[in-house]
Amino acid sequence: MKQYILFDLDGTLTESAPGIINSLKYALKHLGITDYDKAILDKFIGPPLAVSFEKFFGFKGEKCNNAIKIYREYFSEKGLFENSVYAGVEDMLARLKSAGLKLAVATSKPEVFARRILDKFGLSGYFEVICGIPLDNEKMTKAQVINRAIAELNTTDKQTVLMVGDRDYDVAGAHQNGIECMGVTYGYGSRSELEAAGAEYIAVSTEEAAELMLKLHISD
């Protein structure tokens, strides 16, 4: 029986693409980079910034740190709230909490920003634990964030924990910690991506996700 639900943030609870992409455009412009495939920017939604800057632009070391610093000049003031909560998310969280499930956030976004976003949209009160990456450890993996969230929930029974996310990173991070994952297709990942990653469950909407989680809570 599932007792603990870990949620990804971007693409699972909030539609964050506008703020992330605008912050990236701001950073790349300041770095003098104008010739790039705009479709690449969408791939930054989910993974840690340091990983994506290195993968897609070859930034390493101080160059990568500088790109992140410039990105955050925009993100911390404007991009943070160029964001919206997916329809049905608050109802989903309320139903789960009312049923007695313990909820947490496990995101690759810096924790300080995740908390500000959840506070802004009035969602913080639904969560027992909010975990993100520290500002001084940009390459912290999703698996490490999930591991920390599980530890802060004070449970050792992995069978009672479920990760919910929209990308293959969420599935991989869950499996590296020995827990199951529910993929949601209303975010930024596709069904094929989530199935290929091995997601145990897939939901196409917040309503379907809530129903599946409630069934797992009652009968798993």
Side-chain angles (χ1 to χ4, degrees), residues 168-183:
D168 53 4
Y169 290 92
D170 300 307
V171 183
H175 290 173
Q176 286 170 47
N177 281 282
I179 66 174
E180 292 185 325
C181 185
M182 178 184 295

Side-chain angles (χ1 to χ4, degrees), residues 58-127:
F59 294 172
K60 296 181 180 180
E62 190 56 37
K63 188 171 185 179
C64 184
N65 293 337
N66 187 49
I68 292 171
K69 180 181 178 182
I70 298 170
Y71 170 99
R72 286 189 179 143
E73 288 176 2
Y74 184 96
F75 188 82
S76 63
E77 296 296 327
K78 297 180 180 179
L80 188 67
F81 300 129
E82 291 175 332
N83 195 353
S84 60
V85 178
Y86 283 112
V89 160
E90 187 159 12
D91 180 64
M92 171 179 68
L93 297 176
R95 290 179 67 192
L96 298 175
K97 193 172 180 68
S98 178
L101 283 153
K102 303 295 183 183
L103 312 181
V105 170
T107 175
S108 291
K109 186 180 291 299
E111 188 172 308
V112 62
F113 294 145
R115 289 182 179 276
R116 286 178 63 191
I117 290 167
L118 292 166
D119 285 347
K120 170 72 173 180
F121 293 123
L123 299 179
S124 296
Y126 290 105
F127 301 104

Side-chain angles (χ1 to χ4, degrees), residues 16-33:
S16 55
I20 292 172
I21 290 173
N22 288 339
S23 300
L24 287 168
K25 288 179 178 177
Y26 174 89
L28 294 170
K29 180 179 178 180
H30 276 66
L31 292 168
I33 299 172

